[in-house]
Amino acid sequence: MSADIEAPRPSPPAPWPHLAVLAAVAAWFWLYGRLPAISEALTALIPVERHSHTGEALAFFFYDVPKVLMLLALIVFAMGVVRSFFSPERTRALLAGRREGVGNVLAALLGVVTPFCSCSAVPLFIGLVSAGVPLGVTFSFLIAAPMVNEVALVMLFGLVGPGVALTYFSFGLAVAILAGWVIGRLHLEGWLQDWVRDIATGASAPEEAGGAPLSMVARYRLGLEALREIIGRVWLWILLGIAMGALIHGYVPEELMVRIMGADAWWSVPAAVALGIPMYTNAAGVIPIVEALLGKGAALGTVLAFMMSVIALSLPEMIILRQVLTLRLIAVFIGTVGSGILAVGFLFNLLF
């Protein structure tokens, strides 16, 4: 007499990997919320006057280095996990049939509600490019995230009124959408760095053995591999870029900017853009400078062009992007966005 023998049921996956990821994310948010206090504590350990040029530069450096690295780590890990669900064929299928420009509009609107400064937006830009999102769409996000966000709009509303704030919003969003669209139409994916292009084209996309879906543990491992690869390539350039931004933040005199932008002449707008590019701060940080410049009699369009260039074309951002983009693509990015900013500056000077 034979008895049927049931095949052993597979044991449910252990919850520990998921709990470990949740604990790591909770620790990330806990630490991120304490970065300002940590920055101040580290600055206090150094025998310098806190509100001196050196003290301001050190506080800026101690805050931005962990902030940018933590953002990069979180986003790259998350995008590595998300990318494991999408083969190149599946990604192309999702993007197929969409009208040109829709992705640029959506990316720019995402940037509006993402309160990142230029260097903080770079991690998500890297993650989007690595996940195979079209290059022009990612540039629309990279431009809009620092330049048109709720912080800038609320502060401009209180400083110069709703008319100027809404006009700035419209023009800033237009620059992000059109610049990303133009870059996308140029089809410059070949001007990405080789390692980014390989990821974006699926050269390192995960394979699912035998058609079986990957386990979440395997996807976590892919996220950690992406984290190790990308952080290993860009961390030094992040440090160098933020160090340069800290020096500029602490030592560039405000009086110099007032002298250049106080004259209501045609050359004041391009001069303000050229002056703003080496700077580095976020929208909240540049608004007090905008207020001071307007109080000194600087033209509104000139000041807003300076503001846009500071937060959308900062030199530290370019240094970090150099590990992702070739010099030719960086030049195209600066030229396209710079042209839009110049147009905004001249138009504001005519309108207001």
Side-chain angles (χ1 to χ4, degrees), residues 159-232:
L159 176 62
V160 291
V164 174
L166 290 175
T167 307
Y168 174 83
F169 170 80
S170 301
F171 277 93
L173 200 62
V175 168
I177 294 170
L178 291 176
W181 182 81
V182 169
I183 291 173
R185 292 291 293 167
L186 293 175
H187 303 294
L188 302 179
E189 285 77 9
W191 290 5
L192 290 166
Q193 294 287 5
D194 291 341
W195 68 275
V196 180
R197 189 166 62 249
D198 289 342
I199 295 176
T201 56
S204 58
E207 297 289 339
E208 297 185 356
L214 294 172
S215 67
M216 280 306 300
V217 173
R219 298 186 195 279
Y220 293 152
R221 290 197 186 101
L222 289 170
L224 290 174
E225 289 175 8
L227 178 61
R228 182 172 58 253
E229 178 181 2
I230 293 177
I231 291 287

Side-chain angles (χ1 to χ4, degrees), residues 297-312:
L300 178 61
T302 304
V303 173
L304 291 182
F306 167 76
M307 174 180 169
M308 285 182 162
S309 64
V310 167
I311 55 183

Side-chain angles (χ1 to χ4, degrees), residues 98-172:
R98 292 192 180 274
R99 290 184 301 152
E100 193 167 11
V102 172
N104 298 94
V105 173
L106 294 176
L109 291 173
L110 174 64
V112 171
V113 297
T114 309
F116 288 164
C117 66
S118 56
C119 286
S120 300
V122 171
L124 188 50
F125 172 84
I126 294 174
L128 292 173
V129 172
S130 300
V133 176
L135 186 63
V137 173
T138 61
F139 271 117
S140 288
F141 169 81
L142 182 66
I143 298 164
M147 190 164 63
V148 190
N149 61 61
E150 67 275 16
V151 176
L153 294 175
V154 169
M155 296 185 77
L156 274 178
F157 183 94
L159 176 62
V160 291
V164 174
L166 290 175
T167 307
Y168 174 83
F169 170 80
S170 301
F171 277 93

Side-chain angles (χ1 to χ4, degrees), residues 273-284:
V273 173
L275 183 62
I277 289 176
M279 304 289 290
Y280 173 49
T281 185
N282 55 23

